[in-house]
Amino acid sequence: MRKVLTESPQAMAGYDAQNPLALSSEHPLVAPAGIDANDKAWNLLYGAMINGLGISPANFQLIYPFTTWDWPVQSLGYTSAAQWDFCSTVPQFSATGEYVSAGTSFSDSYGSMLNVVSAATTDPKLKADIEQQWNVLQIAKNNYDTIYRQAVDAYKTETGSSNSPPFTEWLGSFGGKTWAVQLDSAFRNVQAQQSVYNQLLSEVTTPGLKDAQDRLANKDYYTKLNDPTLSGFPAVPGFSISMDATTWLNKVHSGTGGSSGTVGFSSSQSEYDYKKTWAGGSASVSKLFWSVNVGGSWERIDEFSTDNSLKVDVSFKAWDQISIQAARWYNGAFVSSVKKGPFIRGYSPYGGASETAVWGPDGIMSVQKVGMLVCYKPSFTISVSNSTFKSFSEKWQVSAGLRIGPFSFSGGGGSSSSGWKADAATNTFTGTSTAETALIMGTMINLINPQ
């Protein structure tokens, strides 16, 4: 489960027919050896960012698709749908990962974990009542998750994989409202069953479990979604960021915020070893690394993908790390205290032949988003072979934009005002983004109870 347009207590992770409580991770991860040209380019950029910006592979994830950081500043106690979707979504378990606004939220996976912690009691009747209510609760959640997946399918059909508009915002639109109604009805049943379950926990002896459940359900730790498409300011578990985009950009413009930086790589260099990262590997990337906007459509740049002489540098007027923190509904100390359990039958810390994992890549809780890597005014210099330069020059002259991995450059070779240049003497293409918004190019993650 994830979220609905209503006040939301704890929720469950994505539904799986064979394993209702398991959080879906996108596996298998792939090693650098044998990756195709597109994956190799993403791989090289990951390594370039580690080396060029001094960030750590122990907690850095390069993300796609292109994501702007332009969330509006809200009144105290309110959050925009786009900000909540990004901050709350569990990252893909992959060094280079895809951000999906309709993905599982961290509060959902946390709620899932709490509901499989064994509720210890010496009272046989209470134990039986707890087990019975858990089953009733699970039936309600399975129903909600089925509707949720259907809603996500409808969202993807209508919007593709651009995250525009974000999933929560889409639920308030014409195309999403019917799904919002169904989700709201199903969730109210879940909420009622969860309340009964939590009442039964008042007499159990598992240290900290009742308190953790109460904190997750405490509306004082929630935020209200404020978006023109939504009604009633629905409440959801809160997340805070260390600085909003407007304040950060003002600091950048005044010279007191962010740092300049450059990352670069060549197509001939060796792949970065993803085994050194927190994820131990990376899933194949579905988005094109090199693409150009011609006539309003984005096209793959095959010349760049196959040029062994290619070198690229991406520089930023400013870049920075912005922290993301869950509000007090999340009890990290309790999560650490139950690293080894106890869990109900069928669940174990890291899984087994007949048990579902609670932690790890395929577990109910895997990773937590604790920060994001942002930048402003990226510029590029691309050096290529003479043949590639001649082949691509025609598209360059009429281009309206260029994409290099997660960076989307507005402007283009066809705009005299953009300042983009093609130099035949050095076989280079250069340009700077004309966009005035900041870009999110990565996330900082925390592994939950690593093995």
Side-chain angles (χ1 to χ4, degrees), residues 2 100-104 145-160 167 170-171 179 183:
R2 191 167 194 272
V100 180
S101 68
T104 300
D145 290 336
T146 298
I147 298 172
Y148 182 81
R149 286 200 168 188
Q150 292 170 342
V152 170
D153 288 342
Y155 168 71
K156 290 180 178 179
T157 298
E158 184 174 324
T159 65
F167 181 69
W170 175 81
L171 283 175
W179 291 108
L183 287 170

Side-chain angles (χ1 to χ4, degrees), residues 1 31 76 107 127 147 175 184 189 322 347 351 381:
M1 272 176 56
L76 189 65
S107 57
K127 180 179 180 182
I147 298 172
D184 183 71
N189 185 35
I322 305 296
Y347 296 85
T381 299

Side-chain angles (χ1 to χ4, degrees), residues 325-349:
Q325 185 174 13
R328 283 181 52 81
W329 55 262
Y330 176 63
N331 188 336
F334 179 77
V335 172
S336 297
S337 73
V338 292
K339 179 176 182 177
K340 296 182 180 180
F343 302 113
I344 64 175
R345 182 179 302 175
Y347 296 85
S348 65

Side-chain angles (χ1 to χ4, degrees), residues 43 62 79 93 97 121 130 138 143 150 179 201 212 229 232 252 256 259 297 317 325-326 351 372 402:
N43 170 287
L62 176 62
T79 304
F93 202 98
T121 177
I130 289 174
Q138 186 57 46
N143 177 57
Q150 292 170 342
W179 291 108
L201 296 182
T229 64
V252 169
T256 60
S259 303
S297 299
K317 183 175 181 179
Q325 185 174 13
M372 55 187 183
L402 189 73

Side-chain angles (χ1 to χ4, degrees), residues 107-175:
S107 57
D108 292 354
S109 63
Y110 177 58
S112 300
M113 182 279 296
L114 292 182
N115 280 340
V116 300
V117 174
S118 179
T121 177
T122 57
D123 184 338
K125 183 179 184 306
L126 178 60
K127 180 179 180 182
D129 289 345
I130 289 174
E131 291 177 349
Q132 175 62 21
Q133 184 57 31
W134 191 95
N135 290 333
V136 172
L137 173 61
Q138 186 57 46
I139 291 171
K141 288 175 175 175
N142 289 352
N143 177 57
Y144 177 95
D145 290 336
T146 298
I147 298 172
Y148 182 81
R149 286 200 168 188
Q150 292 170 342
V152 170
D153 288 342
Y155 168 71
K156 290 180 178 179
T157 298
E158 184 174 324
T159 65
S161 56
S162 63
N163 293 318
S164 182
F167 181 69
T168 298
E169 183 179 328
W170 175 81
L171 283 175
S173 69
F174 179 79

Side-chain angles (χ1 to χ4, degrees), residues 292 294 299-307 310 382-399 402 422-424 427-429:
V292 60
V294 177
E299 304 176 6
R300 180 174 184 143
I301 308 175
D302 291 320
E303 297 93 333
F304 288 1
S305 298
T306 57
D307 188 348
L310 180 143
I382 304 170
S383 301
V384 295
S385 65
N386 185 56
S387 60
T388 294
F389 184 87
K390 291 180 179 179
S391 175
F392 183 66
S393 290
E394 183 176 344
K395 288 184 178 179
W396 171 265
Q397 294 301 324
V398 296
S399 67
L402 189 73
D423 188 342
N427 293 330
T428 58
F429 300 100

